[in-house]
Amino acid sequence: MSITVTVMYPDTPGTKFDMDYYLQKHGPLVHKLWGPHGLTGLKVLKGLATPDPSTPPPYRIMALVGFESLDHFKAAVNAHGAEVMGDIANFTDAPPHIQINDDVA
Amino acid sequence: MSITVTVMYPDTPGTKFDMDYYLQKHGPLVHKLWGPHGLTGLKVLKGLATPDPSTPPPYRIMALVGFESLDHFKAAVNAHGAEVMGDIANFTDAPPHIQINDDVA
């Protein structure tokens, strides 16, 4: 079964997020390092709003990182996880919430 | 620009989530009511794990609901939002966190 890793960057007050670096450097790094390890796609969502106009979106960015299988993801992390995770400090000081999910529908 | 609405169902202790109802009734309802209003897809992710083995996934289910544009989504909500949102109580007593996002990559 294919999986999607959701990498959710909280919009914590007082923290920074360098969108240019994220899109121009981090995304290509993920493709380069994990492309050969079963990466099926990297989709980037940018928080706009919630249904309640007085509540801002909790996440600035939600990345949807697809892999062919959980085993592919584990192998990708073993091979290059430190480089990918280590790059996060280059664009934000608000660590992401990460969840691994089965693609059920 | 296309958008994705992320509908995240928190795994709150003591609450229920009827996965059969969700997949067999709620998903088809969304397609039926919002399909004619610019719905581009409904992807369902089921939380498996986090990178920390001692931390369970915060969300049981994350639904990724795609629309052609923010205006399409607003029109879809105006037309049938009450029916779609009203159906949620039929499968869970833990209300979802909902965020509207631009598809930036």
Side-chain angles (χ1 to χ4, degrees):
Chain A
M1 177 182 280
S2 64
I3 68 155
T4 298
V5 182
T6 44
V7 186
M8 301 169 277
Y9 294 92
D11 195 0
T12 308
T15 61
K16 66 164 186 149
F17 192 96
D18 182 339
M19 185 70 72
D20 286 343
Y21 186 99
Y22 179 74
L23 292 174
Q24 292 164 25
K25 303 280 187 180
H26 188 68
L29 182 74
V30 170
H31 278 285
K32 177 187 161 195
L33 294 177
W34 283 347
H37 290 275
L39 181 77
T40 56
L42 169 60
K43 186 168 180 177
V44 179
L45 311 180
K46 181 179 179 182
L48 269 184
T50 71
D52 173 2
S54 68
T55 303
Y59 299 114
R60 287 163 162 141
I61 288 288
M62 299 180 66
L64 310 173
V65 191
F67 282 91
E68 291 178 34
S69 71
L70 184 59
D71 285 344
H72 282 87
F73 172 62
K74 288 178 178 173
V77 169
N78 283 338
H80 294 294
E83 289 157 272
V84 171
M85 299 302 287
D87 190 48
I88 291 176
N90 291 326
F91 58 87
T92 187
D93 51 2
H97 304 168
I98 300 174
Q99 175 166 327
I100 302 152
N101 309 274
D102 273 335
D103 297 334
V104 295
Chain B
M1 178 183 280
S2 64
I3 68 154
T4 298
V5 181
T6 44
V7 185
M8 301 169 275
Y9 294 91
D11 196 0
T12 309
T15 61
K16 66 164 185 148
F17 191 96
D18 182 340
M19 186 71 71
D20 286 343
Y21 185 98
Y22 179 76
L23 291 175
Q24 292 164 25
K25 304 279 187 180
H26 188 68
L29 182 75
V30 170
H31 278 285
K32 178 187 161 196
L33 295 177
W34 283 346
H37 291 276
L39 180 78
T40 55
L42 169 61
K43 187 166 180 177
V44 178
L45 310 180
K46 182 180 178 182
L48 269 183
T50 72
D52 173 4
S54 68
T55 302
Y59 299 114
R60 287 164 162 141
I61 288 288
M62 299 180 66
L64 310 173
V65 191
F67 282 91
E68 290 177 35
S69 72
L70 184 59
D71 285 343
H72 282 88
F73 172 63
K74 287 178 178 173
V77 169
N78 283 338
H80 295 293
E83 290 155 271
V84 171
M85 299 302 287
D87 190 47
I88 291 176
N90 291 324
F91 58 87
T92 187
D93 51 2
H97 304 168
I98 300 174
Q99 176 166 326
I100 302 152
N101 309 275
D102 271 336
D103 297 334
V104 294

